[in-house]
Amino acid sequence: QVHLEESGGGLVQTGGSLRLSCAVLGRFYTINIMGWYRQAPGKQRVMVAEWTKSGRIRYDDSVQGRFTISRDAAKDTMYLQMNNLEPEDTAVYYCNANVYDFSTGSQPYWGQGTQVTVSS
């Protein structure tokens, strides 16, 4: 059974930095896509950053130049380095992975979410 474990959220002042981690655990063949999403109170969940197996990386315009997505393939772990944080970045951050296994095919999985709060 595949599951994702997130860590790294917290409270930070405007201009500060945080790094989120997301480990893909369990039995699987390969990871096709990994991404970070966030959901602010009263708003829809939106994509923040995404990595694909083909090497494509994309960011939402609101975080371009401030956030960096990276991956440690040996650890099946994805990171989101968030710099120059703003109050508007306050949200619950979720990691997502599209994982392929021979028995289940490609399936999407979500982490449990981690709170990021940026104080002004």
Side-chain angles (χ1 to χ4, degrees):
Q1 185 73 17
V2 175
H3 66 280
L4 309 185
E5 284 190 359
E6 297 183 40
S7 62
L11 173 64
V12 66
Q13 292 185 334
T14 297
S17 297
L18 285 172
R19 189 176 83 153
L20 306 182
S21 300
C22 173
V24 183
L25 304 175
R27 179 179 174 179
F28 57 91
Y29 178 71
T30 191
I31 300 171
N32 295 316
I33 302 171
M34 294 189 75
W36 289 98
Y37 290 71
R38 68 185 180 187
Q39 187 167 18
K43 296 188 177 181
Q44 290 186 330
R45 189 176 300 185
V46 295
M47 190 274 291
V48 174
E50 183 180 82
W51 167 91
T52 68
K53 190 177 181 180
S54 63
R56 185 187 70 179
I57 292 176
R58 61 180 181 136
Y59 299 95
D60 183 77
D61 289 344
S62 65
V63 306
Q64 182 76 46
R66 300 187 299 121
F67 290 12
T68 302
I69 188 172
S70 62
R71 179 170 172 258
D72 184 333
K75 298 180 179 179
D76 292 322
T77 298
M78 173 179 65
Y79 305 96
L80 184 68
Q81 178 66 44
M82 305 184 293
N83 297 328
N84 194 20
L85 283 160
E86 304 168 351
E88 292 74 22
D89 297 316
T90 295
V92 177
Y93 285 70
Y94 297 90
C95 67
N96 172 272
N98 184 287
V99 178
Y100 178 83
D101 191 62
F102 296 110
S103 61
T104 60
S106 293
Q107 296 290 335
Y109 298 90
W110 289 94
Q112 78 276 17
T114 186
Q115 177 70 46
V116 171
T117 302
V118 185
S119 63
S120 57

